[in-house]
């Protein structure tokens, strides 16, 4: 099994930046995809950024504002969030999967989540 631990959430004003980190441990040899899902209050979780075999994918809502990166040797994945908007508020979950993890059906492991709050 893979364990994921996130850090870096918090509160920020609109236009500010935050950086999320996620450390993977356990049976990580089979992991090919890691990324971040966001869950807004009362809504389902959706992917905002994933990196799959070295290629990054972003949702339209965060394209050009968020950057995902990975240190494969240490199984660390980061999400640099710039130009934050109030609508970016939510719980952010680190995910890992053996194949495509853009859909929740491809996610094999979830982190506990870290809260991001953006005020206007």
């Amino acid at each position: 099994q893979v364990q994921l631990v996130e850090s870096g959430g918090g509160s920020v004003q609109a236009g500010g930046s935050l950086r999320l980190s996620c450390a993977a441990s356990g049976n990580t040899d089979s992991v090919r995809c890691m990324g971040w899902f966001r869950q807004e209050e009362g809504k389902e979780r959706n992917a905002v950024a994933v990196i799959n075999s070295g290629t990054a994918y972003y949702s339209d809502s965060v394209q050009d504002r968020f950057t995902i990166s990975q240190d494969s040797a240490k199984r660390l994945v980061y999400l640099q969030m710039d130009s934050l908007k109030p609508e970016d508020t939510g719980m952010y979950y680190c995910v890992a999967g053996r194949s495509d993890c853009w859909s929740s059906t491809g996610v094999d492991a979830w982190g506990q989540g870290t809260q991001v709050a953006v005020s206007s």
Side-chain angles (χ1 to χ4, degrees):
Q1 290 188 347
V2 175
Q3 293 80 44
L4 303 171
V5 178
E6 304 108 329
S7 60
S11 299
V12 66
Q13 289 190 327
S17 299
L18 284 173
R19 179 178 164 94
L20 306 182
S21 300
C22 174
S25 60
N27 185 18
T28 60
D29 288 346
S30 61
V31 172
R32 294 294 177 266
C33 183
M34 294 186 71
W36 297 89
F37 276 55
R38 178 171 71 200
Q39 185 170 26
E40 301 165 45
E41 189 170 349
K43 298 184 179 180
E44 63 182 23
R45 298 179 189 182
N46 290 299
V48 293
V50 304
I51 188 163
N52 189 350
S53 298
T55 300
Y57 301 89
Y58 301 94
S59 68
D60 290 343
S61 65
V62 308
Q63 182 78 48
D64 298 326
R65 297 189 298 118
F66 290 11
T67 303
I68 188 170
S69 59
Q70 185 177 34
D71 181 344
S72 296
K74 298 181 179 180
R75 284 298 180 186
L76 295 167
V77 65
Y78 306 97
L79 186 66
Q80 177 66 39
M81 304 186 294
D82 298 317
S83 301
L84 282 161
K85 303 176 181 181
E87 51 264 44
D88 293 319
T89 294
M91 186 72 78
Y92 284 71
Y93 296 89
C94 181
V95 299
R98 291 165 292 174
S99 57
D100 182 12
C101 60
W102 184 261
S103 169
S104 59
T105 57
V107 173
D108 297 310
W110 295 85
Q112 80 282 2
T114 185
Q115 182 69 39
V116 171
V118 184
S119 58
S120 58

